[in-house]
Amino acid sequence: AVTFSNTRIFNVDAHADATGSSAGAVAQAQGVSQWTLGDNVLASFSNSSTGSFTVDAVATATGTVGSSANASATGLTISGDPIVLAVSNDKKFEVNASATADLANANALGMGVYATESAYTGTSPAVWASLNTIGGTITNSGNLTVVASALGATGTTTTAWPLCTARSTTACNLR
């Protein structure tokens, strides 16, 4: 089993500030990442009623010629094949990404579950052997908040996903 249990305060903060003629800032924050390998391996995550789980990424850039800022924040990722999960949030679970610059990009993902492991048989011709299955439960009786904000003079992009389940980490298009 792969287990994370929070009964207190869990904070992850990434801050990047840049100043110059052409300035660039990148802030990336990852809360918890779990990988399961093999059949029936449980991925367990619990943020109890006494816990607080926060992941923040803040990027700010100021340039006289131009500036860019990219902020990316992820709360929880679970990857494997097959995946058996038990996820429970009973309190505060927050993921925030904020970017400020001429060109600003912010991406936030609350929880990502990916059946991503790929396998082929050793026979010729090779045969796809991955299961690409996800089973179990995700329960939220608390506050799940996911925010992406970008402030830019020439352009902005934002993506905020509370929950993404997919066969590939690129399916949520965050990284």
Side-chain angles (χ1 to χ4, degrees):
V2 180
T3 303
F4 174 87
S5 179
N6 180 43
T7 59
R8 304 280 301 193
I9 297 170
F10 180 89
N11 287 329
V12 177
D13 294 304
H15 293 267
D17 295 306
T19 304
S21 62
S22 180
V26 176
Q28 295 180 322
Q30 169 72 53
V32 173
S33 182
Q34 298 175 321
W35 288 83
T36 62
L37 301 174
D39 290 341
N40 298 316
V41 177
L42 178 66
S44 174
F45 175 93
S46 173
N47 186 42
S48 76
S49 61
T50 58
S52 173
F53 186 94
T54 306
V55 179
D56 291 312
V58 179
T60 305
T62 306
T64 55
V65 174
S67 62
S68 65
N70 293 292
S72 177
T74 302
L76 168 67
T77 58
I78 300 172
S79 300
D81 185 22
I83 295 175
V84 179
L85 57 89
V87 175
S88 175
N89 176 54
D90 297 325
K91 192 64 173 176
K92 180 179 105 172
F93 186 107
E94 292 183 354
V95 178
N96 304 295
S98 175
T100 304
D102 290 334
L103 181 58
N105 300 299
N107 299 301
L109 172 64
M111 299 178 186
V113 181
Y114 308 110
T116 60
E117 297 303 311
S118 57
Y120 290 92
T121 62
T123 61
S124 181
V127 176
W128 181 256
S130 289
L131 301 174
N132 295 119
T133 58
I134 300 171
T137 59
I138 298 173
T139 304
N140 180 48
S141 61
N143 295 320
L144 175 61
T145 306
V146 180
V147 177
S149 62
L151 177 62
T154 59
T156 62
T157 58
T158 59
T159 306
W161 290 70
L163 174 64
C164 177
T165 59
R167 289 185 174 186
S168 163
T169 55
T170 58
C172 295
N173 200 23
L174 291 176
R175 302 216 183 246

